[in-house]
Amino acid sequence: SKKIKNTLWLGSEVNGFFKYNLETGNFKQYNYDSKNQFSPGNSISFILEDREGIVWVATNSNLLRFDPNSEKIESFGKKDGLPSNLVNSIIEDLEGNLWISASGGLSKLNKNAPREQWNFVNFDASDGLQNYSSSKAIWMSREGEIILGGNDGIISFFPGGINDIKPDLVIEDIKVSGVSLKSDSSAVELEKSIMETDELRLSYTQNNLSFEIASIHFMRPKKNKVMYMLEGFDNHWISTDRNFASFTNLAPGEYTFRVKGSNGDGIWDNEGKSLQIIISPPWWKTWAAYIIYGLLFLALVFALARFQRRRLLQAQIEKTRKLELAQAKEIEKAYKELKATQSQLIQSEKMASLGELTAGIAHEIQNPLNFINNFSEVNAELIDELNEEIEKGDMEEVKAIATDIATNEKKILHHGKRADGIVKGMLQHSRTSSNEKEPTDINVLADEYFRLSYHGLRAKNKSFNADYKMELDDTLPKINVIPQDIGRVLLNLLNNAFYACAQRLVLSEAEVSRSTASEKPTKENKNYKPVVTVVTTAKENNVIIRVQDNGSGIPPEIMEKIFQPFFTTKPTGEGTGLGLSLSYDIITKGHGGELKVESTLGEGTTFIVHLPSEK
């Protein structure tokens, strides 16, 4: 707080105290009781504003401390250490201490000390003061001499002359289990006297201790005070009037007995005196004993664990044996079911392939059947003309008609054999593979399945048209393969190629139809023509078949998945996801070859088949 300038503090007998501003002439009233209000009869006898601006008010019932900044009021009385609740006058010495004159004597407060250490030091007739009676007369000279007035005269003193020598603290005697070490040193071996010793070692049976302590100062010795504390047992200071401390049934461990005291003027020796006390535990509570207990416990646990582990191991072995037997049966059952499911899936894929093949065959066989039907009808008409010419006797015309009939019969025979070959090819493809390899002309096989695949797609989508090219190597040798399986692979690759072209064609036509006057279709979309090409070549000891399309290509993120079973990019119901997986197995596992794919988005895809050729 800072001292408030131009302020006068005034007190009354019933209305509290006032602050009067000398500049403005304004009054402000302050009252006080249990609710910070003055009660009737609580009159003010003295007001002091200290050098820090704090206002101290003496009343007939307590001492008040008033902070003008916060306007907070604190009350002090006999319960706080004052000799009486009736306060007569207050003065501040040169060191900032307050001297309070009360009806019971004179009290000193060192308000410069920390708040928690504030302590009232009281002086009375035993210290040389006259018998006190009510008086408000108090004054301090420039030299710091304080003069008190009373009914029996005046008293003067210099505050600095009050004795401030700290007291001496001693431990006069220690009793261990009722035996005084001062009179019987055989109970505990001490290297020094009781007053000089700083460490006491005891056994676990010597756990009842008492101390006789004293604070020695010869000025007003009756007012000397002592406090003690046993660290490790109770970490709180205890005040005693008997200068005696006792502790019973202390547990083994380390303790520190501390003592501090004050003289009659309230000067404390806070450093005090200390004594280290070590009570040893019994042998069965020592670390060595605990280690032995631990080792014995670990040995017991190890033995029990070993026994339990052996028992559990035997039970687990038996359980595992039964479980393995049950699992073996389940695996065998699952394997049979898996084989059956695999066979069904493969058959399903074959039937899907057969369905596409049948559509191609139906479209392919239609041409020779049309020829057969047409030439049959022409021959029927020619026979009628032949009969007419015979009746006329025109033998030259008869011979010419007969020649035409014979020519047509050859054509009927040719197209009939062609239809027969197509049917046999279908039967050969549909029947179960014999798994027997035979010398096969890959060019013939490729040509046959190329046409079947294209016509199969045309049969399902009559609006679809595509160019297909055959670039076949005439020097290609016959190689030992299973024709039905290689045909199935070629059909699958060609179906995928035509499908990719058809999809891109649909997208291109859709983009053209969406174009507006301001958004014309690109030249690529406008002029897109589906093209599928089959190329065969012989290289070293391999026959290489390349199936190329100019569709939209395969995205890089799915390139690694296309040979996985059940993976398909076709809509639900249009593909099983097994075609490429079965083709991969036929080429790699069934024929020891390779099946690879190369693709560029927006340009197309090429599947490459490597089949080993045996000379």
Side-chain angles (χ1 to χ4, degrees):
S1 301
K2 294 183 178 179
K3 202 163 185 178
I4 302 176
K5 296 180 179 180
N6 301 315
T7 299
L8 184 64
W9 297 96
L10 306 171
S12 71
E13 291 187 356
V14 294
N15 293 320
F17 60 96
F18 302 84
K19 179 174 72 173
Y20 177 65
N21 190 314
L22 297 175
E23 291 182 348
T24 63
N26 294 330
F27 282 92
K28 185 172 183 179
Q29 182 179 4
Y30 299 95
N31 296 328
Y32 173 80
D33 60 7
S34 59
K35 297 182 180 180
N36 280 351
Q37 298 291 325
F38 267 96
S39 59
N42 193 355
S43 63
I44 295 175
S45 57
F46 203 94
I47 297 178
L48 170 71
E49 183 179 6
D50 66 18
R51 65 187 63 179
E52 295 173 344
I54 300 298
V55 178
W56 297 85
V57 182
T59 77
N60 62 356
S61 61
N62 46 28
L63 171 68
L64 303 180
R65 179 184 182 274
F66 175 71
D67 186 344
N69 292 330
S70 64
E71 297 190 348
K72 179 181 178 181
I73 299 177
E74 292 182 80
S75 172
F76 301 92
K78 193 172 183 178
K79 60 180 177 55
D80 302 299
L82 283 172
S84 170
N85 288 332
L86 176 58
V87 181
N88 298 318
S89 59
I90 314 162
I91 201 165
E92 183 179 22
D93 66 18
L94 297 179
E95 295 180 357
N97 299 310
L98 287 186
W99 293 87
I100 300 103
S101 172
S103 63
L106 181 65
S107 186
K108 174 187 175 184
L109 173 62
N110 180 10
K111 61 182 178 62
N112 298 321
R115 184 65 179 81
E116 62 274 7
Q117 296 183 9
W118 278 12
N119 182 39
F120 291 97
V121 180
N122 298 321
F123 303 88
D124 53 24
S126 64
D127 300 302
L129 294 177
Q130 58 182 314
N131 290 329
Y132 242 63
S133 59
S134 298
S135 175
K136 302 180 181 62
I138 190 166
W139 179 77
M140 184 176 68
S141 69
R142 292 181 180 178
E143 292 77 18
E145 183 181 14
I146 295 177
I147 299 176
L148 299 173
N151 293 338
D152 295 334
I154 62 173
I155 298 173
S156 66
F157 64 93
F158 286 92
I162 302 298
N163 197 324
D164 59 356
I165 299 175
K166 295 180 179 180
D168 292 329
L169 291 167
V170 294
I171 299 177
E172 294 181 328
D173 192 10
I174 304 173
K175 291 184 179 180
V176 179
S177 298
V179 178
S180 171
L181 300 185
K182 186 176 182 180
S183 59
D184 186 358
S185 59
S186 62
V188 178
E189 184 177 349
L190 297 177
E191 297 181 356
K192 302 177 183 179
S193 66
I194 291 177
M195 292 186 181
E196 296 179 347
T197 189
D198 54 6
E199 184 176 284
L200 190 63
R201 290 185 174 271
L202 306 172
S203 70
Y204 69 94
T205 59
Q206 299 172 314
N207 61 348
N208 297 320
L209 301 177
S210 60
F211 303 88
E212 292 184 9
I213 52 184
S215 176
I216 301 175
H217 191 274
F218 297 102
M219 295 293 294
R220 301 188 294 149
K222 291 183 179 181
K223 293 188 177 183
N224 293 351
K225 294 182 179 180
V226 175
M227 299 182 76
Y228 66 87
M229 173 175 61
L230 185 62
E231 288 184 356
F233 176 77
D234 185 3
N235 297 328
H236 298 284
W237 289 102
I238 301 173
S239 179
T240 176
D241 296 329
R242 299 173 52 221
N243 293 351
F244 181 80
S246 178
F247 305 94
T248 59
N249 296 324
L250 293 175
E254 296 186 6
Y255 305 90
T256 302
F257 181 68
R258 298 190 182 277
V259 182
K260 67 178 181 179
S262 72
N263 60 17
D265 297 325
I267 305 300
W268 284 89
D269 178 10
N270 288 319
E271 182 178 355
K273 185 175 180 62
S274 64
L275 174 65
Q276 187 76 14
I277 302 171
I278 302 173
I279 301 178
S280 302
W283 68 266
W284 61 84
K285 290 185 178 181
T286 61
W287 281 109
Y290 288 135
I291 292 174
I292 293 174
Y293 300 154
L295 292 175
L296 291 175
F297 177 74
L298 290 175
L300 178 61
V301 170
F302 178 77
L304 289 175
R306 188 174 182 181
F307 171 77
Q308 183 70 5
R309 185 168 60 251
R310 187 177 299 171
R311 189 174 67 85
L312 291 175
L313 183 61
Q314 292 296 331
Q316 187 64 33
I317 290 174
E318 180 64 21
K319 182 179 179 181
T320 303
R321 188 186 67 80
K322 293 180 179 178
L323 182 61
E324 288 177 350
L325 183 61
Q327 287 178 343
K329 293 180 179 179
E330 290 294 328
I331 291 172
E332 183 179 3
K333 179 181 177 182
Y335 177 74
K336 291 180 179 179
E337 292 177 353
L338 181 62
K339 290 292 289 183
T341 302
Q342 184 182 25
S343 299
Q344 292 175 0
L345 289 172
I346 293 174
Q347 186 62 29
S348 173
E349 176 62 24
K350 288 182 178 180
M351 292 304 295
S353 175
L354 181 60
E356 295 176 353
L357 181 64
T358 302
I361 290 174
H363 189 278
E364 181 75 6
I365 205 172
Q366 188 65 43
N367 288 331
L369 289 178
N370 288 338
F371 280 112
I372 292 172
N373 291 334
N374 291 336
F375 285 120
S376 296
E377 292 175 358
V378 171
N379 278 357
E381 294 176 356
L382 289 175
I383 290 173
D384 291 339
E385 292 180 6
L386 179 63
N387 290 330
E388 292 178 359
E389 295 299 327
I390 291 174
E391 291 179 358
K392 293 179 181 180
D394 188 352
M395 298 306 295
E396 291 297 327
E397 188 64 27
V398 169
K399 291 179 181 180
I401 293 173
T403 301
D404 291 337
I405 292 174
T407 301
N408 289 343
E409 285 298 322
K410 290 180 181 180
K411 292 180 179 179
I412 290 172
L413 179 61
H414 169 74
H415 288 291
K417 289 181 177 180
R418 181 183 171 192
D420 180 64
I422 293 171
V423 173
K424 287 180 178 178
M426 180 188 70
L427 293 174
Q428 186 178 23
H429 180 83
S430 63
R431 71 171 181 264
T432 303
S433 174
S434 63
N435 291 328
E436 293 183 2
K437 296 180 180 180
E438 57 185 69
T440 303
D441 188 337
I442 296 299
N443 287 342
V444 174
L445 203 63
D447 178 68
E448 178 184 353
Y449 281 94
F450 204 156
R451 288 184 291 103
L452 290 176
S453 175
Y454 176 70
H455 291 306
L457 183 59
R458 285 273 296 155
K460 292 189 290 184
N461 182 7
K462 298 188 183 309
S463 64
F464 174 73
N465 283 297
D467 291 338
Y468 57 91
K469 301 178 182 179
M470 301 287 291
E471 299 177 7
L472 307 179
D473 186 352
D474 295 336
T475 64
L476 209 65
K478 288 187 177 182
I479 58 175
N480 285 325
V481 295
I482 303 173
Q484 297 91 337
D485 289 351
I486 299 300
R488 187 173 293 116
V489 171
L490 290 172
L491 184 62
N492 185 275
L493 298 180
L494 288 164
N495 286 343
N496 286 345
F498 282 118
Y499 181 84
C501 291
Q503 291 299 108
R504 181 173 179 181
L505 182 61
V506 171
L507 293 174
S508 298
E509 292 175 348
E511 185 170 346
V512 171
S513 65
R514 287 196 304 268
S515 64
T516 63
S518 59
E519 296 180 352
K520 295 182 179 180
T522 63
K523 182 177 180 181
E524 177 188 354
N525 293 327
K526 187 176 181 181
N527 299 327
Y528 174 69
K529 299 295 183 183
V531 178
V532 176
T533 306
V534 174
V535 181
T536 61
T537 55
K539 185 177 181 180
E540 296 179 351
N541 293 326
N542 286 278
V543 169
I544 302 173
I545 309 170
R546 303 173 69 91
V547 179
Q548 305 172 353
D549 66 70
N550 64 343
S552 299
I554 301 173
E557 61 268 18
I558 67 172
M559 284 286 286
E560 296 181 357
K561 303 178 182 179
I562 60 173
F563 294 122
Q564 295 177 4
F566 306 109
F567 178 80
T568 180
T569 59
K570 296 179 181 179
T572 303
E574 292 190 18
T576 63
L578 291 172
L580 286 177
S581 174
L582 290 175
S583 299
Y584 186 84
D585 289 342
I586 290 171
I587 297 299
T588 58
K589 297 178 181 179
H591 292 80
E594 288 183 291
L595 177 57
K596 299 184 293 184
V597 62
E598 297 174 353
S599 184
T600 303
L601 279 178
E603 296 183 10
T605 303
T606 301
F607 282 90
I608 307 167
V609 179
H610 287 250
L611 291 172
S613 60
E614 298 176 0
K615 295 183 179 179

